mmCIF file of all heavy atoms in Angstrom:
data_model
loop_
_atom_site.group_PDB
_atom_site.id
_atom_site.type_symbol
_atom_site.label_atom_id
_atom_site.label_comp_id
_atom_site.label_asym_id
_atom_site.label_seq_id
_atom_site.Cartn_x
_atom_site.Cartn_y
_atom_site.Cartn_z
ATOM 1 N N SER H 108 12.030 19.567 -21.549
ATOM 2 C CA SER H 108 12.859 20.125 -20.610
ATOM 3 C C SER H 108 12.581 19.744 -19.154
ATOM 4 O O SER H 108 11.401 19.742 -18.863
ATOM 5 C CB SER H 108 12.885 21.686 -20.711
ATOM 6 O OG SER H 108 13.568 22.316 -19.665
ATOM 7 N N ALA H 109 13.590 19.532 -18.319
ATOM 8 C CA ALA H 109 13.364 19.278 -16.898
ATOM 9 C C ALA H 109 12.829 20.419 -16.141
ATOM 10 O O ALA H 109 12.345 20.261 -15.093
ATOM 11 C CB ALA H 109 14.682 18.753 -16.277
ATOM 12 N N PHE H 110 12.943 21.586 -16.802
ATOM 13 C CA PHE H 110 12.433 22.825 -16.095
ATOM 14 C C PHE H 110 10.985 23.183 -16.523
ATOM 15 O O PHE H 110 10.346 23.968 -15.820
ATOM 16 C CB PHE H 110 13.352 24.033 -16.387
ATOM 17 C CG PHE H 110 14.741 23.953 -15.711
ATOM 18 C CD1 PHE H 110 15.770 23.463 -16.354
ATOM 19 C CD2 PHE H 110 14.919 24.319 -14.442
ATOM 20 C CE1 PHE H 110 17.036 23.365 -15.807
ATOM 21 C CE2 PHE H 110 16.099 24.357 -13.766
ATOM 22 C CZ PHE H 110 17.173 23.778 -14.441
ATOM 23 N N PHE H 111 10.525 22.610 -17.614
ATOM 24 C CA PHE H 111 9.260 23.033 -18.152
ATOM 25 C C PHE H 111 8.098 22.526 -17.281
ATOM 26 O O PHE H 111 7.909 21.314 -17.099
ATOM 27 C CB PHE H 111 9.038 22.549 -19.563
ATOM 28 C CG PHE H 111 7.746 22.913 -20.192
ATOM 29 C CD1 PHE H 111 7.592 24.168 -20.827
ATOM 30 C CD2 PHE H 111 6.671 22.084 -20.178
ATOM 31 C CE1 PHE H 111 6.424 24.494 -21.378
ATOM 32 C CE2 PHE H 111 5.462 22.412 -20.800
ATOM 33 C CZ PHE H 111 5.280 23.660 -21.337
ATOM 34 N N ASP H 112 7.379 23.436 -16.673
ATOM 35 C CA ASP H 112 6.140 23.076 -15.930
ATOM 36 C C ASP H 112 6.462 22.145 -14.773
ATOM 37 O O ASP H 112 5.683 21.237 -14.420
ATOM 38 C CB ASP H 112 5.071 22.530 -16.775
ATOM 39 C CG ASP H 112 3.655 22.758 -16.231
ATOM 40 O OD1 ASP H 112 3.575 23.653 -15.327
ATOM 41 O OD2 ASP H 112 2.721 22.025 -16.624
ATOM 42 N N THR H 113 7.589 22.257 -14.117
ATOM 43 C CA THR H 113 7.966 21.564 -12.915
ATOM 44 C C THR H 113 8.483 22.513 -11.869
ATOM 45 O O THR H 113 8.608 23.743 -12.232
ATOM 46 C CB THR H 113 9.148 20.485 -13.175
ATOM 47 O OG1 THR H 113 10.409 21.299 -13.377
ATOM 48 C CG2 THR H 113 8.890 19.657 -14.376
ATOM 49 N N GLN H 114 8.780 22.021 -10.673
ATOM 50 C CA GLN H 114 9.268 22.914 -9.661
ATOM 51 C C GLN H 114 10.807 22.842 -9.547
ATOM 52 O O GLN H 114 11.316 23.258 -8.417
ATOM 53 C CB GLN H 114 8.650 22.642 -8.327
ATOM 54 C CG GLN H 114 7.199 23.112 -8.282
ATOM 55 C CD GLN H 114 6.558 23.044 -6.846
ATOM 56 O OE1 GLN H 114 6.975 22.196 -6.051
ATOM 57 N NE2 GLN H 114 5.654 23.928 -6.571
ATOM 58 N N LEU H 115 11.491 22.323 -10.519
ATOM 59 C CA LEU H 115 12.848 22.105 -10.401
ATOM 60 C C LEU H 115 13.637 23.473 -10.113
ATOM 61 O O LEU H 115 14.426 23.409 -9.191
ATOM 62 C CB LEU H 115 13.485 21.461 -11.689
ATOM 63 C CG LEU H 115 14.997 21.204 -11.738
ATOM 64 C CD1 LEU H 115 15.368 20.302 -10.603
ATOM 65 C CD2 LEU H 115 15.439 20.706 -13.081
ATOM 66 N N ASP H 116 13.367 24.490 -10.816
ATOM 67 C CA ASP H 116 14.027 25.732 -10.563
ATOM 68 C C ASP H 116 13.790 26.267 -9.154
ATOM 69 O O ASP H 116 14.666 26.737 -8.500
ATOM 70 C CB ASP H 116 13.529 26.779 -11.524
ATOM 71 C CG ASP H 116 14.214 28.148 -11.391
ATOM 72 O OD1 ASP H 116 15.450 28.172 -11.121
ATOM 73 O OD2 ASP H 116 13.623 29.245 -11.532
ATOM 74 N N ASP H 117 12.538 26.134 -8.651
ATOM 75 C CA ASP H 117 12.233 26.494 -7.245
ATOM 76 C C ASP H 117 13.014 25.735 -6.235
ATOM 77 O O ASP H 117 13.645 26.252 -5.359
ATOM 78 C CB ASP H 117 10.713 26.318 -6.957
ATOM 79 C CG ASP H 117 9.867 27.251 -7.804
ATOM 80 O OD1 ASP H 117 10.239 28.407 -8.040
ATOM 81 O OD2 ASP H 117 8.770 26.756 -8.224
ATOM 82 N N VAL H 118 13.196 24.423 -6.486
ATOM 83 C CA VAL H 118 13.826 23.592 -5.553
ATOM 84 C C VAL H 118 15.383 23.910 -5.564
ATOM 85 O O VAL H 118 15.963 24.119 -4.495
ATOM 86 C CB VAL H 118 13.668 21.995 -5.885
ATOM 87 C CG1 VAL H 118 14.557 21.229 -5.022
ATOM 88 C CG2 VAL H 118 12.134 21.698 -5.691
ATOM 89 N N LEU H 119 15.950 24.029 -6.732
ATOM 90 C CA LEU H 119 17.331 24.356 -6.866
ATOM 91 C C LEU H 119 17.618 25.709 -6.233
ATOM 92 O O LEU H 119 18.628 25.826 -5.565
ATOM 93 C CB LEU H 119 17.798 24.283 -8.237
ATOM 94 C CG LEU H 119 17.667 23.004 -8.983
ATOM 95 C CD1 LEU H 119 18.161 23.065 -10.392
ATOM 96 C CD2 LEU H 119 18.376 21.879 -8.339
ATOM 97 N N SER H 120 16.800 26.666 -6.479
ATOM 98 C CA SER H 120 17.048 28.012 -5.918
ATOM 99 C C SER H 120 16.940 28.020 -4.443
ATOM 100 O O SER H 120 17.834 28.701 -3.776
ATOM 101 C CB SER H 120 15.960 29.025 -6.509
ATOM 102 O OG SER H 120 16.138 29.099 -7.915
ATOM 103 N N ARG H 121 16.021 27.361 -3.910
ATOM 104 C CA ARG H 121 15.901 27.269 -2.410
ATOM 105 C C ARG H 121 17.026 26.662 -1.786
ATOM 106 O O ARG H 121 17.471 27.013 -0.671
ATOM 107 C CB ARG H 121 14.679 26.487 -1.995
ATOM 108 C CG ARG H 121 13.329 27.200 -2.119
ATOM 109 C CD ARG H 121 12.204 26.574 -1.315
ATOM 110 N NE ARG H 121 12.079 25.149 -1.596
ATOM 111 C CZ ARG H 121 11.178 24.708 -2.483
ATOM 112 N NH1 ARG H 121 10.461 25.519 -3.201
ATOM 113 N NH2 ARG H 121 11.118 23.390 -2.661
ATOM 114 N N GLU H 122 17.705 25.690 -2.487
ATOM 115 C CA GLU H 122 18.872 24.979 -1.853
ATOM 116 C C GLU H 122 20.202 25.658 -2.267
ATOM 117 O O GLU H 122 21.264 25.156 -1.903
ATOM 118 C CB GLU H 122 18.840 23.526 -2.368
ATOM 119 C CG GLU H 122 17.570 22.811 -1.825
ATOM 120 C CD GLU H 122 17.626 21.307 -2.239
ATOM 121 O OE1 GLU H 122 18.609 20.804 -2.782
ATOM 122 O OE2 GLU H 122 16.624 20.708 -1.883
ATOM 123 N N GLY H 123 20.187 26.804 -2.913
ATOM 124 C CA GLY H 123 21.342 27.619 -3.199
ATOM 125 C C GLY H 123 22.221 26.955 -4.329
ATOM 126 O O GLY H 123 23.412 27.170 -4.371
ATOM 127 N N ILE H 124 21.620 26.115 -5.134
ATOM 128 C CA ILE H 124 22.314 25.482 -6.197
ATOM 129 C C ILE H 124 22.449 26.352 -7.474
ATOM 130 O O ILE H 124 21.384 26.921 -7.832
ATOM 131 C CB ILE H 124 21.634 24.169 -6.576
ATOM 132 C CG1 ILE H 124 21.813 23.107 -5.474
ATOM 133 C CG2 ILE H 124 22.110 23.591 -7.940
ATOM 134 C CD1 ILE H 124 20.982 21.890 -5.564
ATOM 135 N N ASN H 125 23.628 26.539 -7.943
ATOM 136 C CA ASN H 125 23.836 27.434 -9.078
ATOM 137 C C ASN H 125 24.386 26.662 -10.350
ATOM 138 O O ASN H 125 24.745 27.364 -11.369
ATOM 139 C CB ASN H 125 24.795 28.622 -8.726
ATOM 140 C CG ASN H 125 26.203 28.105 -8.365
ATOM 141 O OD1 ASN H 125 26.486 26.883 -8.440
ATOM 142 N ND2 ASN H 125 27.080 29.045 -8.061
ATOM 143 N N THR H 126 24.561 25.341 -10.271
ATOM 144 C CA THR H 126 25.130 24.605 -11.367
ATOM 145 C C THR H 126 24.378 23.350 -11.541
ATOM 146 O O THR H 126 24.043 22.646 -10.571
ATOM 147 C CB THR H 126 26.625 24.301 -11.042
ATOM 148 O OG1 THR H 126 27.280 25.613 -10.896
ATOM 149 C CG2 THR H 126 27.234 23.528 -12.240
ATOM 150 N N VAL H 127 24.144 22.935 -12.797
ATOM 151 C CA VAL H 127 23.529 21.636 -13.090
ATOM 152 C C VAL H 127 24.422 20.871 -13.990
ATOM 153 O O VAL H 127 24.974 21.352 -14.921
ATOM 154 C CB VAL H 127 22.076 21.838 -13.813
ATOM 155 C CG1 VAL H 127 21.136 22.404 -12.729
ATOM 156 C CG2 VAL H 127 22.143 22.652 -15.004
ATOM 157 N N VAL H 128 24.572 19.581 -13.729
ATOM 158 C CA VAL H 128 25.328 18.616 -14.530
ATOM 159 C C VAL H 128 24.380 17.667 -15.206
ATOM 160 O O VAL H 128 23.554 17.013 -14.469
ATOM 161 C CB VAL H 128 26.394 17.908 -13.726
ATOM 162 C CG1 VAL H 128 27.093 16.812 -14.542
ATOM 163 C CG2 VAL H 128 27.330 18.813 -13.050
ATOM 164 N N LEU H 129 24.406 17.602 -16.483
ATOM 165 C CA LEU H 129 23.405 16.888 -17.241
ATOM 166 C C LEU H 129 23.937 15.602 -17.815
ATOM 167 O O LEU H 129 25.015 15.593 -18.440
ATOM 168 C CB LEU H 129 22.862 17.759 -18.401
ATOM 169 C CG LEU H 129 22.446 19.204 -18.101
ATOM 170 C CD1 LEU H 129 21.827 19.912 -19.300
ATOM 171 C CD2 LEU H 129 21.327 19.141 -16.958
ATOM 172 N N ALA H 130 23.178 14.578 -17.667
ATOM 173 C CA ALA H 130 23.404 13.260 -18.286
ATOM 174 C C ALA H 130 22.086 12.650 -18.658
ATOM 175 O O ALA H 130 21.086 12.998 -18.103
ATOM 176 C CB ALA H 130 24.239 12.358 -17.369
ATOM 177 N N GLY H 131 22.113 11.751 -19.645
ATOM 178 C CA GLY H 131 20.841 11.097 -20.013
ATOM 179 C C GLY H 131 20.557 11.155 -21.493
ATOM 180 O O GLY H 131 21.487 11.332 -22.299
ATOM 181 N N THR H 132 19.264 11.078 -21.853
ATOM 182 C CA THR H 132 18.883 10.992 -23.275
ATOM 183 C C THR H 132 17.615 11.772 -23.528
ATOM 184 O O THR H 132 16.867 11.941 -22.552
ATOM 185 C CB THR H 132 18.716 9.561 -23.700
ATOM 186 O OG1 THR H 132 18.812 9.416 -25.115
ATOM 187 C CG2 THR H 132 17.504 8.885 -23.113
ATOM 188 N N THR H 133 17.299 12.351 -24.656
ATOM 189 C CA THR H 133 18.194 12.305 -25.838
ATOM 190 C C THR H 133 18.998 13.680 -25.845
ATOM 191 O O THR H 133 18.395 14.691 -25.359
ATOM 192 C CB THR H 133 17.591 12.201 -27.156
ATOM 193 O OG1 THR H 133 16.692 13.260 -27.366
ATOM 194 C CG2 THR H 133 16.752 10.914 -27.199
ATOM 195 N N THR H 134 20.116 13.733 -26.429
ATOM 196 C CA THR H 134 20.907 14.990 -26.442
ATOM 197 C C THR H 134 20.177 16.173 -27.160
ATOM 198 O O THR H 134 20.121 17.226 -26.639
ATOM 199 C CB THR H 134 22.277 14.756 -27.027
ATOM 200 O OG1 THR H 134 22.914 13.659 -26.348
ATOM 201 C CG2 THR H 134 23.148 15.955 -26.988
ATOM 202 N N PRO H 135 19.629 15.925 -28.281
ATOM 203 C CA PRO H 135 19.016 17.084 -29.050
ATOM 204 C C PRO H 135 17.658 17.472 -28.461
ATOM 205 O O PRO H 135 17.220 18.580 -28.732
ATOM 206 C CB PRO H 135 18.821 16.561 -30.490
ATOM 207 C CG PRO H 135 18.801 15.063 -30.339
ATOM 208 C CD PRO H 135 19.682 14.758 -29.219
ATOM 209 N N ASN H 136 17.066 16.612 -27.735
ATOM 210 C CA ASN H 136 15.685 16.984 -27.223
ATOM 211 C C ASN H 136 15.744 17.274 -25.729
ATOM 212 O O ASN H 136 15.795 18.472 -25.386
ATOM 213 C CB ASN H 136 14.763 15.795 -27.428
ATOM 214 C CG ASN H 136 14.508 15.498 -28.930
ATOM 215 O OD1 ASN H 136 14.678 16.378 -29.762
ATOM 216 N ND2 ASN H 136 14.089 14.327 -29.330
ATOM 217 N N CYS H 137 15.664 16.335 -24.890
ATOM 218 C CA CYS H 137 15.603 16.572 -23.451
ATOM 219 C C CYS H 137 16.856 17.183 -22.798
ATOM 220 O O CYS H 137 16.715 18.069 -21.934
ATOM 221 C CB CYS H 137 15.182 15.282 -22.737
ATOM 222 S SG CYS H 137 13.640 14.617 -23.365
ATOM 223 N N VAL H 138 17.988 16.715 -23.278
ATOM 224 C CA VAL H 138 19.217 17.240 -22.674
ATOM 225 C C VAL H 138 19.444 18.689 -23.134
ATOM 226 O O VAL H 138 19.648 19.605 -22.302
ATOM 227 C CB VAL H 138 20.459 16.333 -22.982
ATOM 228 C CG1 VAL H 138 21.782 17.056 -22.531
ATOM 229 C CG2 VAL H 138 20.324 15.005 -22.353
ATOM 230 N N ARG H 139 19.315 18.867 -24.364
ATOM 231 C CA ARG H 139 19.495 20.302 -24.947
ATOM 232 C C ARG H 139 18.508 21.258 -24.504
ATOM 233 O O ARG H 139 18.836 22.417 -24.034
ATOM 234 C CB ARG H 139 19.584 20.235 -26.485
ATOM 235 C CG ARG H 139 19.763 21.613 -27.123
ATOM 236 C CD ARG H 139 20.038 21.389 -28.573
ATOM 237 N NE ARG H 139 20.061 22.761 -29.185
ATOM 238 C CZ ARG H 139 20.701 23.013 -30.421
ATOM 239 N NH1 ARG H 139 21.325 21.997 -30.984
ATOM 240 N NH2 ARG H 139 20.586 24.119 -30.930
ATOM 241 N N SER H 140 17.268 20.872 -24.421
ATOM 242 C CA SER H 140 16.169 21.846 -23.936
ATOM 243 C C SER H 140 16.438 22.194 -22.531
ATOM 244 O O SER H 140 16.193 23.282 -22.043
ATOM 245 C CB SER H 140 14.806 21.279 -24.260
ATOM 246 O OG SER H 140 14.572 20.130 -23.569
ATOM 247 N N THR H 141 16.886 21.180 -21.691
ATOM 248 C CA THR H 141 17.109 21.408 -20.307
ATOM 249 C C THR H 141 18.312 22.319 -20.155
ATOM 250 O O THR H 141 18.323 23.286 -19.332
ATOM 251 C CB THR H 141 17.399 20.054 -19.559
ATOM 252 O OG1 THR H 141 16.245 19.290 -19.569
ATOM 253 C CG2 THR H 141 17.764 20.319 -18.096
ATOM 254 N N CYS H 142 19.348 22.112 -21.001
ATOM 255 C CA CYS H 142 20.546 22.989 -21.021
ATOM 256 C C CYS H 142 20.168 24.458 -21.315
ATOM 257 O O CYS H 142 20.586 25.298 -20.544
ATOM 258 C CB CYS H 142 21.497 22.434 -21.994
ATOM 259 S SG CYS H 142 22.921 23.552 -22.410
ATOM 260 N N TYR H 143 19.400 24.690 -22.339
ATOM 261 C CA TYR H 143 19.123 26.046 -22.727
ATOM 262 C C TYR H 143 18.144 26.745 -21.694
ATOM 263 O O TYR H 143 18.328 27.876 -21.409
ATOM 264 C CB TYR H 143 18.365 26.041 -24.107
ATOM 265 C CG TYR H 143 19.424 25.979 -25.239
ATOM 266 C CD1 TYR H 143 20.306 24.970 -25.308
ATOM 267 C CD2 TYR H 143 19.438 26.998 -26.116
ATOM 268 C CE1 TYR H 143 21.234 24.907 -26.349
ATOM 269 C CE2 TYR H 143 20.356 26.965 -27.149
ATOM 270 C CZ TYR H 143 21.226 25.914 -27.259
ATOM 271 O OH TYR H 143 22.190 25.899 -28.248
ATOM 272 N N ASP H 144 17.197 25.955 -21.075
ATOM 273 C CA ASP H 144 16.402 26.502 -20.001
ATOM 274 C C ASP H 144 17.259 26.869 -18.768
ATOM 275 O O ASP H 144 17.048 27.930 -18.147
ATOM 276 C CB ASP H 144 15.300 25.565 -19.616
ATOM 277 C CG ASP H 144 14.153 25.660 -20.598
ATOM 278 O OD1 ASP H 144 14.160 26.476 -21.546
ATOM 279 O OD2 ASP H 144 13.176 24.807 -20.455
ATOM 280 N N ALA H 145 18.216 26.041 -18.478
ATOM 281 C CA ALA H 145 19.074 26.247 -17.342
ATOM 282 C C ALA H 145 19.941 27.523 -17.551
ATOM 283 O O ALA H 145 20.059 28.355 -16.692
ATOM 284 C CB ALA H 145 19.980 25.037 -17.035
ATOM 285 N N LEU H 146 20.423 27.687 -18.790
ATOM 286 C CA LEU H 146 21.230 28.856 -19.063
ATOM 287 C C LEU H 146 20.320 30.124 -19.012
ATOM 288 O O LEU H 146 20.748 31.163 -18.531
ATOM 289 C CB LEU H 146 21.873 28.730 -20.417
ATOM 290 C CG LEU H 146 22.927 27.688 -20.614
ATOM 291 C CD1 LEU H 146 23.277 27.461 -22.130
ATOM 292 C CD2 LEU H 146 24.210 28.156 -19.854
#
């Protein structure tokens, strides 16, 4: 996940971002885990 043990959530929150658009690989691993953490 892009959110796991990174500061991504902190950065997005500080900038008032409420939506993430996901592209890349792989769908069942990194994309999906990032999706679920974002939700």
